[in-house]
Amino acid sequence: MSEQRLKTSIAILGAGDVGATVAYTLLQNPICSEVILVDPKKELLEAQVRDLGDATYGGRAATRIRLGTHQEAGQADVVVITAGAKQKPGETRLSLLSRNLHILSSIFTSMSPISPHTILLLVANPVDILTYFARKLSGLPESQVLGTGTSLDSARLRGILAQKAEVSPSSIDAYVLGEHGDSQFVAWSNASIGSTPLRLALSAKLSDEFKADIESHTRGAAGAIIAAKGCTAYGIGNVAASICKYILFDSRTVRPLSFYQPELGCCLSMPAVIGRKGILRAMPMQLDEDERKLLEDCAEGLRAVIDSAEKELKADNELSHALERHT
Ligand SMILES: NC(=O)C1=CN([C@@H]2O[C@H](COP(=O)(O)OP(=O)(O)OC[C@H]3O[C@@H](n4cnc5c(N)ncnc54)[C@H](O)[C@@H]3O)[C@@H](O)[C@H]2O)C=CC1
Ligand SMILES: CC(=O)C(=O)O
């Protein structure tokens, strides 16, 4: 067997706040032989690898960390894409689209030829739109291209509901669905504590006002953290590293992730079974009429962004050639 096949590797594109935090989380909870960090900022990349390496010399069996090239990243078992601009205080995730689509396109040119077995995990924003274009730019089967989507929002939802209900977050089963962005919504009709439906568990507390407060807390969480410290990193570090584990361990864990929804014509978050081949299958969910409408509105908004991005791309020779190579 070749040496390459004996190793499991996760490549992280982007060695900024998020990329370094995903790497650190993977080093603290080893699930693969090596983590490869890639970034065009050479000094930053070398410093991050040295600093992260210092966290691995404590005597435990460790995952190795090294810097690498885009070409090497394209052969990894999982490629986590954090490369891209981040929001400034007050900016929306969608405002990053044009800059981050160019970066995404250049990444696929540099990684080519990408291994047909690689699973791509998109983190950079706007994550649903970038997941949609990564499918096209990579040429990989759509089950192998996924975005962290509303996994982070759902973790935030579990956190705030746990405080209100005075139970552990791990006892809350509740999802934020749709866009990892302003049109996201909570699937209240399916939420439970243990196996008790939320409406029974919280009874009188669960008013419209209570739900609106929780939704606004969850939707606004990133903006509030960014306004105070300039980025969010630990929550997404944990979410992305956990998804890598579900993939490499073929754990068949169900999580809300962004992936292509053929009937909606875009990528957005719905629950899916995650395993070694990426999205193994969608997990059907019975939404009520209001939630169904919110899902359709959310998809309509995302499709409009995709349409205008596609028009912009046609006017941009470099990007339109990159997309044509695979469509
Ligand atoms: N999906 C989610 O839930 C979350 C997404 N994010 C997103 O993650 C992205 C990264 O955020 P930060 O790490 O805070 O930003 P950052 O600015 O600290 O790091 C981004 C890094 O990407 C690098 N980069 C640029 N072009 C590259 C290329 N072609 N190949 C490899 N690396 C490249 C830059 O040099 C930079 O070091 C942003 O788009 C942010 O909005 C952040 C938190 C949560
Ligand atoms: C930045 C971002 O997308 C988040 O923390 O949710």
Side-chain angles (χ1 to χ4, degrees):
M1 204 180 271
S2 73
E3 200 189 329
Q4 180 61 36
R5 291 196 55 201
L6 291 170
K7 286 186 198 160
T8 43
S9 56
I10 297 175
I12 301 173
L13 303 188
D17 288 309
V18 174
T21 309
V22 176
Y24 182 69
T25 312
L26 289 168
L27 296 180
Q28 293 302 305
N29 307 279
I31 55 166
C32 61
S33 322
E34 64 174 11
V35 170
I36 304 169
L37 209 50
V38 182
D39 198 296
K41 290 182 187 157
K42 197 166 168 282
E43 263 182 57
L44 170 74
L45 177 63
E46 284 174 359
Q48 294 284 39
V49 169
R50 287 184 67 179
D51 194 14
L52 285 159
D54 288 348
T56 66
Y57 306 137
R60 283 185 299 156
T63 295
R64 289 180 298 280
I65 174 100
R66 70 171 173 93
L67 59 79
T69 62
H70 287 88
Q71 280 264 314
E72 287 169 315
Q75 305 311 306
D77 296 283
V78 183
V79 177
V80 183
I81 302 182
T82 79
K86 61 182 156 196
Q87 299 151 261
K88 297 200 173 67
E91 267 189 321
T92 66
R93 296 177 179 94
L94 285 173
S95 70
L96 304 170
L97 177 58
S98 191
R99 281 169 283 170
N100 287 354
L101 197 47
H102 272 89
I103 291 177
L104 190 71
S105 161
S106 76
I107 279 172
F108 285 111
T109 307
S110 319
M111 281 200 296
S112 178
I114 192 164
S115 157
H117 307 295
T118 292
I119 309 291
L120 296 178
L121 177 60
L122 276 292
V123 173
N125 277 314
V127 70
D128 302 289
I129 309 286
L130 295 186
T131 305
Y132 177 89
F133 283 105
R135 263 174 70 236
K136 295 192 161 205
L137 290 163
S138 66
L140 289 172
E142 58 199 34
S143 56
Q144 288 172 226
V145 184
L146 41 140
T148 51
T150 57
S151 282
L152 178 54
D153 310 277
S154 299
R156 290 170 174 152
L157 173 66
R158 278 200 304 278
I160 182 79
L161 280 177
Q163 279 177 29
K164 303 280 182 195
E166 298 181 22
V167 298
S168 152
S170 64
S171 298
I172 305 265
D173 202 357
Y175 290 153
V176 176
L177 299 178
E179 182 194 6
H180 175 58
D182 293 342
S183 70
Q184 62 179 234
F185 63 96
V186 176
W188 291 108
S189 65
N190 283 262
S192 63
I193 299 183
S195 58
T196 308
L198 207 58
R199 78 190 134 69
L200 275 186
L202 291 180
S203 56
K205 238 187 191 178
L206 197 65
S207 62
D208 286 348
E209 197 188 345
F210 174 91
K211 289 183 187 171
D213 271 359
I214 298 280
E215 282 168 7
S216 134
H217 167 92
T218 306
R219 186 178 289 114
I225 299 168
I226 289 167
K229 63 170 267 196
C231 72
T232 62
Y234 297 114
I236 189 62
N238 191 50
V239 163
S242 300
I243 297 169
C244 290
K245 181 163 86 177
Y246 307 147
I247 294 168
L248 292 181
F249 288 9
D250 194 26
S251 70
R252 290 151 199 256
T253 302
V254 176
R255 284 285 178 272
L257 287 181
S258 190
F259 60 103
Y260 187 63
Q261 311 286 331
E263 69 291 2
L264 297 171
C266 61
C267 290
L268 53 69
S269 284
M270 290 297 283
V273 183
I274 314 155
R276 187 62 190 86
K277 291 188 172 169
I279 301 285
L280 303 185
R281 61 181 190 281
M283 184 53 75
M285 212 174 166
Q286 204 164 24
L287 298 177
D288 70 19
E289 207 177 308
D290 290 347
E291 292 161 357
R292 191 78 226 161
K293 170 86 174 70
L294 288 169
L295 179 67
E296 275 155 21
D297 290 351
C298 172
E300 194 178 317
L302 288 171
R303 278 197 308 271
V305 176
I306 289 169
D307 286 349
S308 72
E310 266 166 353
K311 281 191 194 112
E312 204 183 301
L313 295 185
K314 283 203 180 110
D316 180 330
N317 261 341
E318 203 187 310
L319 272 174
S320 98
H321 284 138
L323 279 173
E324 273 165 20
R325 274 202 299 277
H326 294 296
T327 44

